[in-house]
Structures are given as structure tokens and as C-alpha cells.
Amino acid sequence: MGISRILGIVLLVMLCAFIIGAGISVCYIRRRLKDVSRAAFGTESFLEGVKKQEEQFSETPKSVSGMTELYLQKITKDFPEFSYAEIASRSENLIKEVLAAVERENISGLPEDAGELKRQVRLWIEDNRRQGIREIFQNPVIHKTAIFRYEKRGGMCVLVLQSALEYRYARYRKTDENQAEEPKKLQTRCSLEWNYIQDVDRVPEEKRVLASNCPNCGAPIKSLGSRFCEYCGSAVEPVNIRVWSPDHIKLG
């Protein structure tokens, strides 16, 4: 038998052994995946298990801070007339109003006393427009709201409320609107910061831009206590610094 024939037989045997080994490995991997999937998801299909897990996440509200009672004691000590139920309700309504404003790309529906928050939402909308992005927030539901943080800094009291938020969400480029996917249900957290100014002289300059807009020309009233618009001269109501004002919103 020639050397070349022997080498051919050896290569053929090695190839057969490789194929058999690969087949056994594939079967083993498949069996292990089924075992893992069955243990983790209760189904032999790993992909089906992952899909079920994603659906479960989309139906389970996020947990929120459990520090409400502790912080509430401190807040009511500083503000005896403080109503947590009232500000929690205002927060939940504002969150929904912000999402609606971003979706319709118009802040006109936001309350007049949400000066700094309106500025943030306006920038959010402008950024989406520059990128040609559309965001959809359908059927927002708030499951629970709690106090996430309370502190004093820079002449202000800062209160942050955190809400467990659910909505159906889609984000796409306006040029691809016809191919956009259906909004998917998401569970997330949303934080809304409220500020109470106690000492305006200690408030950082960037935080002083929290007045409402001029009722005549729409320009922002940048100075606390201003009685006239610096752009058109119209009379305006001075900003009441001793109230809780919404300052910043954060999703996620």
C-alpha cells in the first residue's frame, strides 16, 4: 500500500472522527441549553424563555425608594404645613404632562409655575428635533411614588420624589416613521426634583433662572422678584420664592 494511500485513509478517519465529535458536541450543547432553559425559564426553548422573561419584566413595576417615612419626619419638622399627598400628586401629574409635551413637541400644556422644568423639556424637544427623532409615550401609568432624597444646600431645600412608571414607548427617526415599530411596554423609574428657595442670596446663579414666562411676549423672566419683563417692559407677577417649584426630571 502506497504512502499516499495510507495518508488518505488516515485523513479520512480523522475527518470522520472530527465530524462525529462535532455532532456529539452539538448534541451535548443543545442538551445543556435545554437543561439550562428548563431550569431558568420552565421551557426547553432558550429563545422562548428569554422572550417570556422580557415580557415578565415589562409587566413588573420597578421598586422605588423606601425612605419616605424617614425623610418625611425631617421635612415636616422644617415645614409643618407640608402635604406629602399633595406634592406626590403634583409630581405624578407633572411626569405625565412632561411625557405628553415631549411626544407632541410642545410645552404649552405645562403649568406656568414649572419654569425651570419647562426649560429642560424645551431643550429635550429641541435636541430631538435636531436629530430628527420622535419619541412616543403612550398610556403612562404611575404605580407608586416615594421620597428618594431630601437635603439642604446653597440656600435651598431640595426634595426628590421617585415614581415607578409604566408606558408604551417607541423612538424612531421621522424619516423612517412608516417603518417604525409598535410602541413596547416599559417599566422604569422617574425622578422629579423640587426646590424651595429659602435664601436667594446663597442660591447659585444658574438656579436663579426659574421664573415663568412673560404673559405678553413669552420671554423668560430671569430675575427672582422681577416685576417687569426686561424684553418688552410688560408688568409681570414676581416669582414667589417661598414655594416648592419643580426643577428637574430624570427617566431611568
Side-chain angles (χ1 to χ4, degrees):
M1 183 180 295
I3 297 297
S4 60
R5 185 178 178 83
I6 294 173
L7 288 175
I9 293 173
V10 172
L11 290 174
L12 180 60
V13 171
M14 291 176 65
L15 179 60
C16 290
F18 174 77
I19 292 173
I20 293 172
I24 294 174
S25 297
V26 169
C27 290
Y28 175 77
I29 292 172
R30 286 178 177 172
R31 187 166 62 251
R32 290 299 299 160
L33 277 176
K34 288 182 179 180
D35 291 342
V36 171
S37 180
R38 192 182 300 110
F41 308 120
T43 176
E44 290 187 353
S45 172
F46 189 79
L47 293 178
E48 182 182 343
V50 171
K51 184 177 180 181
K52 286 185 176 180
Q53 192 72 14
E54 290 178 347
E55 291 175 353
Q56 183 177 351
F57 285 150
S58 71
E59 296 292 339
T60 306
K62 295 287 187 180
S63 60
V64 293
S65 170
M67 303 290 286
T68 299
E69 292 302 321
L70 177 62
Y71 282 128
L72 198 52
Q73 293 177 17
K74 297 180 180 179
I75 297 171
T76 53
K77 183 178 180 180
D78 294 335
F79 302 91
E81 297 181 358
F82 178 85
S83 171
Y84 172 66
E86 179 182 344
I87 201 164
S89 177
R90 289 181 63 193
S91 283
E92 293 176 357
N93 290 333
L94 266 176
I95 289 170
K96 294 178 181 179
E97 289 167 1
V98 165
L99 298 183
V102 173
E103 180 172 337
R104 70 173 178 265
E105 300 183 321
N106 190 319
I107 65 170
S108 60
L110 295 179
E112 286 300 319
D113 62 351
E116 179 64 11
L117 182 63
K118 290 173 71 173
R119 188 177 74 89
Q120 180 196 356
V121 177
R122 183 187 296 112
L123 293 175
W124 183 350
I125 293 171
E126 290 174 355
D127 187 55
N128 279 352
R129 285 175 177 167
R130 279 195 297 269
Q131 299 182 63
I133 295 295
R134 178 81 188 280
E135 287 189 282
I136 304 297
F137 300 91
Q138 292 181 352
N139 307 323
V141 176
I142 295 178
H143 297 284
K144 184 179 180 180
T145 295
I147 300 177
F148 180 70
R149 188 174 72 251
Y150 172 68
E151 61 184 355
K152 299 177 183 179
R153 64 169 186 258
M156 298 188 304
C157 293
V158 179
L159 172 65
V160 180
L161 299 185
Q162 187 180 77
S163 298
L165 175 64
E166 170 191 312
Y167 51 79
R168 302 189 69 86
Y169 179 73
R171 184 178 188 271
Y172 53 84
R173 292 195 175 278
K174 294 179 180 179
T175 53
D176 302 328
E177 186 167 0
N178 293 332
Q179 290 78 39
E181 296 182 357
E182 286 293 316
K184 295 182 180 179
K185 183 181 288 188
L186 291 180
Q187 303 285 347
T188 187
R189 298 180 183 89
C190 182
S191 299
L192 186 60
E193 179 179 312
W194 295 79
N195 290 339
Y196 185 103
I197 297 178
Q198 292 183 306
D199 186 351
V200 68
D201 293 329
R202 294 173 55 205
V203 174
E205 188 64 32
E206 64 272 12
K207 287 294 184 182
R208 299 189 184 195
V209 188
L210 47 72
S212 60
N213 297 78
C214 171
N216 180 51
C217 70
I221 308 302
K222 298 183 178 181
S223 300
L224 292 171
S226 292
R227 295 184 178 275
F228 297 94
C229 173
E230 62 182 87
Y231 293 94
C232 71
S234 298
V236 296
E237 286 293 326
V239 177
N240 185 355
I241 65 173
R242 294 192 177 278
V243 295
W244 289 101
S245 300
D247 181 79
H248 185 79
I249 190 169
K250 180 182 177 182
L251 289 178

